[in-house]
């Protein structure tokens, strides 16, 4: 295989596969190695970007300055506010100075300004006030990486200003390139994108602003701490000082990030490239919007066209349907007229011949049968009957009457047979179960479950019934306990005096149920009995169908009237029972009511049903009435207390 080499001075743009060898089977012997030429393959190779780096500064090549007057003007006690780079004579390099440069500068200052050197030259040295201390503190600050980082963060020579209005009117790229390059020294990431020129691509511009909007600064303000925690006397004081310093650093950090964000916003809002990109986006969105509007308009026109076609087809179909309906209506009118004509002919023929009856007692029966035949027979049957009566007279009429009555009798008999066949099947399918027995074991379980599930338990009586069904003793054909059965038995066991039992209510209810049952028995008549009665009753020639319908209508009206009267009587009796059962509340019932009110709050569904289940022998209305009485009593007491306090 070949290889591709790239160099900065003459990069290669072609990758070539220059040669290859293959084994071929020539004959029965071993495979032979042959050279095989290969076509040249040309590929584009991405050329790495050449980054121009500044040459590394050497310590011996730099010219160090020595300002003796500045050094003598410094106060050793105020060393923290001095310019350390200027003290060491490297103020031109500042943060670009390397460690070797700083060490070399310090050695030169020591050789010239050390107290021993100056004393040897005859200079008077004051031990407590010597400017050499400033040189020592400058080297201790810049020679330590962390301390130098803290000092560089608050470098007094750094320009923290933002471009003003007059600068914004000048060359945008020149002004903001200076400010962004100046602030790029604080970036935690090494590669900081440049602002670029007017010809920069959209991707590069977006990358630039994305970087600066997510700018991460390493700048911190520990050098400007007002309190020195190393001078504190105890741990609590150091913690307090540390807390104050951290709060102040955080405030300054927020101000710094706000300054950077203001700079980026200012550049973004004044960048002509951003304005051009926004206009392009606006034009593209407008074009897309217009295309959508055009498509929507075309779609709307197409839908309107389809709708018109559908409407036209619908109108045509409706016209055809109306024509069919009109044809059917006319046909029905013709048949109706023909049917009316045949019925009139049959009635006139029978009336002219005195209904083919010689006995006047049967005239009404013949007339009724004739009307029934006119209503039930079809047009063809009526035409055939008129033709037969015209040819055969009385014999044809009597035969038609006989066939009609036989048909009605067959239909009635078939209905009765279907009813008789249905009833035995229902009787055989139903299985009668006996009510559960309250034996000694079940009674003991009831007492145990009532104690186990006290008043206030959610769905108390359903839970007790399920408990009895799980642990109780039952017969094979016995049903299960329900909540109503368990509650009734619990009330019977608990009622020991007349004030708590419900004997009066049961007696009144039983009497009312007996009255209701007797009344229903009077009105309940079996359909088979009605048919038998109709056979026995003879009403001077009235047909069975007329008798049956009239008798049934009378029974229906009687039932409706009796049910309405029964509902009124039941409501009156219920009101009497409520008024009759107004029994005073005992202390136990009052406690149960209070406990139930606490257990079931106002948001509980079916609250008063749950409360009434917790209080034996008390209904929902009684509980609500008692609650209202208690509320009125409390209000009256509060009003009385307020009146006394006011006096």
């Amino acid at each position: 295989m070949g290889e591709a080499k790239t160099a900065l001075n003459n990069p290669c743009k072609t990758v070539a596969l220059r040669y290859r060898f293959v084994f071929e089977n020539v004959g029965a012997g071993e495979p032979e190695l042959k050279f095989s030429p290969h076509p040249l393959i040309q590929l584009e190779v991405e050329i790495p970007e050449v980054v121009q780096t500044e040459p590394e500064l050497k310590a011996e090549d730099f010219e160090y300055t020595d300002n003796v007057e500045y050094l003598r003007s410094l106060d050793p006690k105020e060393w923290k506010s001095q310019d350390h780079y200027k003290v060491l004579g490297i103020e031109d390099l500042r943060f670009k100075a390397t460690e070797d440069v700083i060490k070399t500068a310090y050695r030169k200052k020591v050789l010239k300004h050390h107290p021993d050197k100056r004393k040897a030259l005859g200079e008077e040295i004051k031990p407590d006030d010597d400017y050499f201390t400033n040189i020592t503190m400058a080297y201790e600050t810049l020679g330590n990486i962390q301390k130098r980082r803290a000092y560089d963060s608050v470098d007094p020579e750094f320009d923290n200003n933002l471009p003003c209005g007059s600068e914004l009117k000048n060359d945008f790229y020149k002004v903001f390139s200076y400010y962004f390059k100046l602030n790029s020294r604080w970036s935690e990431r090494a590669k900081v994108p440049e602002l670029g020129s007017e010809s920069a691509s959209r991707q590069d511009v977006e990358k630039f602003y994305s970087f600066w909007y997510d700018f991460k600064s390493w700048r911190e303000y520990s050098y400007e701490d007002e309190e020195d925690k190393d001078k504190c006397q105890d741990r609590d004081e150091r913690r307090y000082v540390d807390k104050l310093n951290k709060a102040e650093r955080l405030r300054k950090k927020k101000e710094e990030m706000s300054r950077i964000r203001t700079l980026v916003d200012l550049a973004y809002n004044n960048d002509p490239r951003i304005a051009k990109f926004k206009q392009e986006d606006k034009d593209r969105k407008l074009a897309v919007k217009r295309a959508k509007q055009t498509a929507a308009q075309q779609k709307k026109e197409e839908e309107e066209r389809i709708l018109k076609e559908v409407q036209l087809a619908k109108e045509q179909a409706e016209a055809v349907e109306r024509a069919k309906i009109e044809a059917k209506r006319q046909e029905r009118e013709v048949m109706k007229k023909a049917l009316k004509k045949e019925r009139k002919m049959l009635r006139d023929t029978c009336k002219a011949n005195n209904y083919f009856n010689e006995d006047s007692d049967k005239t009404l029966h013949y007339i009724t049968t004739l009307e029934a035949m006119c209503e039930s027979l079809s047009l063809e049957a009526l035409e055939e009957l008129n033709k037969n009566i015209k040819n055969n007279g009385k014999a044809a009429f009597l035969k038609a009457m006989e066939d009609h009555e036989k048909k009605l009798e067959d239909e009635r008999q078939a209905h009765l047979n279907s009813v008789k066949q249905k009833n035995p099947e229902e009787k055989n399918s139903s299985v009668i179960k006996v009510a559960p027995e309250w034996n000694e074991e079940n009674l003991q379980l009831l007492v145990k479950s009532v104690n186990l599930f006290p008043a206030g338990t959610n769905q108390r009586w359903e839970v007790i019934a399920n408990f009895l069904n799980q642990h109780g003793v039952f017969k094979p054909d016995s049903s299960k306990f329900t909540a109503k059965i368990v509650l009734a038995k619990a009330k019977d066991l608990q009622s020991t005096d007349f004030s708590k039992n419900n004997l009066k209510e049961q007696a009144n209810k039983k009497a009312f149920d007996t009255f209701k049952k007797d009344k229903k028995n009077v009105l309940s008549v079996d359909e088979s009995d009605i048919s038998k009665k109709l056979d026995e009753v003879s009403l001077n020639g009235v047909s069975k169908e007329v008798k049956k319908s009239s008798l049934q209508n009378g029974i229906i009206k009687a039932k409706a009237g009796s049910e309405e009267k029964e509902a009124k009587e039941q409501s009156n009796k219920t009101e009497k029972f409520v008024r009759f059962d107004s029994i005073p509340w005992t202390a136990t019932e009052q406690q149960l009511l209070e406990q139930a009110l606490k257990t079931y709050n106002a948001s509980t569904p079916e609250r008063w049903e749950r409360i009434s289940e917790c209080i034996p022998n008390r209904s929902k209305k009684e509980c609500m009435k008692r609650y209202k009485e208690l509320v009125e009593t409390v209000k009256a007491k509060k009003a009385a207390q307020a009146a006394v306090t006011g006096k």
Side-chain angles (χ1 to χ4, degrees):
M1 297 295 290
E3 60 179 354
K5 296 182 179 180
T6 59
L8 295 178
N9 53 359
N10 189 16
C12 178
K13 298 183 180 180
T14 304
V15 177
L17 185 64
R18 294 180 291 181
Y19 54 85
R20 67 174 180 172
F21 295 92
V22 294
F23 284 98
E24 290 186 358
N25 292 324
V26 179
E30 296 182 355
E32 182 181 357
L33 182 63
K34 288 187 176 183
F35 170 77
S36 176
H38 194 280
L40 185 66
I41 301 176
Q42 295 183 353
L43 297 175
E44 291 294 333
V45 179
E46 183 179 356
I47 302 174
E49 183 179 358
V50 178
V51 180
Q52 297 293 339
T53 59
E54 296 181 359
E56 185 178 356
L57 181 65
K58 295 182 179 180
E60 57 272 12
D61 297 338
F62 182 73
E63 295 182 2
Y64 301 92
T65 61
D66 187 18
N67 192 346
V68 179
E69 295 180 358
Y70 174 73
L71 293 176
R72 293 182 180 278
S73 64
L74 297 177
D75 185 2
K77 297 180 181 179
E78 301 294 333
W79 65 268
K80 200 168 185 180
S81 60
Q82 70 185 9
D83 187 350
H84 298 309
Y85 289 108
K86 191 174 182 179
V87 169
L88 295 180
I90 53 176
E91 62 270 18
D92 294 337
L93 292 178
R94 306 198 71 82
F95 70 94
K96 296 180 181 179
T98 61
E99 294 182 4
D100 293 338
V101 171
I102 294 173
K103 289 180 181 179
T104 303
Y106 176 66
R107 290 194 189 100
K108 289 181 179 293
K109 294 294 181 183
V110 168
L111 292 175
K112 188 173 182 179
H113 298 284
H114 193 274
D116 294 341
K117 298 291 183 180
R118 289 186 288 132
K119 190 175 181 181
L121 295 175
E123 183 179 348
E124 184 181 358
I125 306 300
K126 296 180 181 181
D128 297 335
D129 187 15
D130 188 12
Y131 67 87
F132 186 77
T133 304
N134 297 321
I135 299 174
T136 304
M137 297 307 298
Y139 178 71
E140 289 181 358
T141 302
L142 299 180
N144 185 285
I145 296 176
Q146 294 181 352
K147 291 182 179 180
R148 184 184 179 185
R149 187 184 184 94
Y151 176 73
D152 286 342
S153 297
V154 295
D155 190 351
E157 297 296 326
F158 180 76
D159 185 9
N160 287 301
N161 297 323
L162 296 176
C164 58
S166 59
E167 291 179 321
L168 294 176
K169 296 179 181 179
N170 299 331
D171 186 4
F172 169 82
Y173 304 102
K174 183 178 180 181
V175 171
F176 281 95
S177 294
Y178 165 74
Y179 282 101
F180 280 113
K181 187 175 182 181
L182 188 65
N183 287 275
S184 63
R185 60 179 288 191
W186 311 122
S187 175
E188 291 183 355
R189 288 180 281 183
K191 294 183 179 180
V192 180
E194 296 181 357
L195 179 63
S197 61
E198 187 178 359
S199 61
S201 64
R202 183 167 188 165
Q203 183 179 0
D204 294 338
V205 174
E206 291 178 351
K207 181 180 179 182
F208 172 79
Y209 283 107
S210 176
F211 174 87
W212 280 99
Y213 272 118
D214 295 334
F215 186 74
K216 300 292 188 302
S217 174
W218 57 263
R219 197 175 187 183
E220 50 96 8
Y221 299 89
S222 60
Y223 189 82
E224 294 181 347
D225 289 345
E226 296 181 1
E227 302 291 341
D228 188 2
K229 66 178 182 179
D230 295 334
K231 296 180 180 180
C232 298
Q233 297 179 358
D234 54 11
R235 182 174 59 183
D236 294 336
E237 188 176 356
R238 283 195 297 273
R239 286 180 178 176
Y240 178 72
V241 169
D242 192 23
K243 182 179 179 181
L244 293 178
N245 292 335
K246 285 183 178 179
E248 185 64 19
R249 292 176 201 169
L250 182 61
R251 184 187 66 79
K252 292 179 180 179
K253 185 74 173 181
K254 288 182 179 179
E255 291 179 356
E256 170 66 9
M257 297 310 298
S258 177
R259 186 185 67 83
I260 296 293
R261 183 60 181 261
T262 305
L263 174 64
V264 180
D265 289 339
L266 198 62
Y268 187 85
N269 295 330
N270 292 276
D271 195 336
R273 300 170 299 180
I274 297 297
K276 184 181 70 172
F277 296 152
K278 287 183 177 180
Q279 186 62 35
E280 291 176 356
D281 294 341
K282 186 177 179 180
D283 295 340
R284 184 172 59 256
K285 289 181 180 179
L286 185 60
V288 173
K289 184 179 180 180
R290 289 176 179 173
K292 287 183 179 179
Q293 290 177 349
T294 305
Q297 184 66 24
Q298 294 176 356
K299 184 179 179 181
K300 184 179 179 181
E301 293 175 356
E302 182 67 17
E303 289 178 352
E304 290 178 353
R305 184 186 64 78
I306 295 173
L307 185 62
K308 288 180 180 179
E309 293 179 356
V310 171
Q311 187 69 21
L312 182 61
K314 184 179 179 181
E315 291 177 356
Q316 293 176 356
E318 289 178 352
V320 174
E321 188 66 22
R322 284 196 298 270
K324 290 182 180 180
I325 293 173
E326 183 64 23
K328 290 182 180 179
R329 187 187 67 78
Q330 293 178 0
E331 184 179 354
R332 286 197 302 270
E333 289 292 332
V334 172
M335 291 186 65
K336 186 176 179 181
K337 290 180 180 179
L339 187 61
K340 187 176 180 181
K341 180 181 178 182
E342 293 297 331
R343 287 175 179 173
K344 186 176 183 301
M345 184 185 295
L346 179 59
R347 291 190 184 101
D348 293 343
T349 302
C350 294
K351 186 177 181 181
N353 293 286
N354 196 18
Y355 299 100
F356 302 100
N357 181 26
E358 298 176 355
D359 189 357
S360 59
D361 296 336
K362 297 182 180 181
T363 302
L364 182 58
H365 174 63
Y366 281 24
I367 293 172
T368 306
T369 306
L370 176 63
E371 292 298 327
M373 290 168 61
C374 289
E375 296 296 331
S376 61
L377 294 178
S378 62
L379 178 61
E380 292 79 5
L382 286 173
E383 290 177 352
E384 185 68 24
L385 179 58
N386 285 329
K387 186 177 180 181
N388 291 336
I389 291 176
K390 185 177 180 181
N391 295 331
N392 300 325
K394 182 179 180 180
F397 179 72
L398 294 177
K399 187 176 183 304
M401 284 181 58
E402 183 180 354
D403 293 341
H404 180 69
E405 291 178 353
K406 184 179 179 182
K407 181 181 178 182
L408 293 177
E409 182 64 24
D410 292 341
E411 291 177 356
R412 186 183 69 83
Q413 194 63 34
H415 177 68
L416 291 176
N417 291 335
S418 63
V419 172
K420 289 179 181 180
Q421 291 176 0
K422 186 177 179 180
N423 289 335
E425 293 177 0
E426 293 180 354
K427 290 180 180 179
N428 294 332
S429 62
S430 61
V431 179
I432 301 174
K433 288 190 176 182
V434 183
E437 181 183 0
W438 284 105
N439 49 34
E440 185 177 355
E441 292 82 357
N442 292 342
L443 289 175
Q444 291 178 357
L445 285 174
L446 176 61
V447 174
K448 181 179 179 181
S449 60
V450 168
N451 296 327
L452 186 61
F453 305 104
T457 305
N458 190 17
Q459 303 287 340
R460 182 190 185 196
W461 296 107
E462 285 80 356
V463 174
I464 293 174
N466 293 332
F467 181 80
L468 292 174
N469 292 331
Q470 291 178 3
H471 304 284
V473 179
F474 301 93
K475 292 182 179 180
D477 56 347
S478 176
S479 62
K480 298 295 184 180
F481 286 108
T482 61
K484 291 184 178 180
I485 296 175
V486 175
L487 180 59
K489 189 62 178 177
K491 287 182 178 180
D492 292 338
L493 292 176
Q494 189 178 9
S495 299
T496 56
D497 56 345
F498 184 76
S499 62
K500 291 185 179 180
N501 61 21
N502 54 357
L503 295 178
K504 287 185 178 182
E505 181 182 356
Q506 291 181 358
N508 293 333
K509 188 175 180 182
K510 185 175 181 181
F512 178 69
D513 292 342
T514 304
F515 171 78
K516 182 178 177 182
K517 185 175 181 182
D518 293 340
K519 203 163 191 180
K520 286 184 178 179
N521 290 335
V522 172
L523 295 174
S524 60
V525 182
D526 190 67
E527 188 175 359
S528 60
D529 296 337
I530 294 173
S531 301
K532 292 179 182 179
K533 296 292 183 181
L534 289 173
D535 293 338
E536 296 175 359
V537 178
S538 59
L539 297 175
N540 294 329
V542 180
S543 66
K544 294 180 182 179
E545 303 301 325
V546 177
K547 298 173 190 177
K548 184 175 180 180
S549 62
S550 61
L551 186 55
Q552 287 177 345
N553 291 334
I555 291 172
I556 291 170
K557 290 180 180 179
K559 283 185 177 181
S562 62
E563 288 178 356
E564 183 178 359
K565 186 175 181 182
E566 179 183 342
K568 291 181 179 180
E569 291 176 357
Q570 184 176 0
S571 63
N572 294 334
K573 287 181 178 293
T574 304
E575 292 178 359
K576 289 179 181 179
F577 293 156
V578 172
R579 289 194 295 270
F580 182 75
D581 291 338
S582 298
I583 302 171
W585 284 67
T586 62
T588 305
E589 291 176 339
Q590 181 69 26
Q591 292 178 358
L592 291 175
L593 176 62
E594 294 175 358
Q595 182 64 29
L597 287 171
K598 293 178 182 177
T599 304
Y600 303 107
N601 52 21
S603 62
T604 304
E606 299 181 358
R607 182 192 185 196
W608 291 105
E609 285 79 356
R610 300 282 182 270
I611 292 173
S612 61
E613 291 176 358
C614 298
I615 306 168
N617 304 324
R618 292 296 179 181
S619 63
K620 171 184 173 182
K621 291 183 178 180
E622 289 177 331
C623 295
M624 294 175 68
K625 182 178 179 182
R626 181 59 179 170
Y627 174 74
K628 290 180 180 179
E629 291 176 357
L630 293 175
V631 171
E632 293 297 333
T633 303
V634 173
K635 287 182 179 179
K637 287 182 179 180
K638 288 184 178 180
Q641 290 178 359
V644 172
T645 306
K647 291 180 180 180

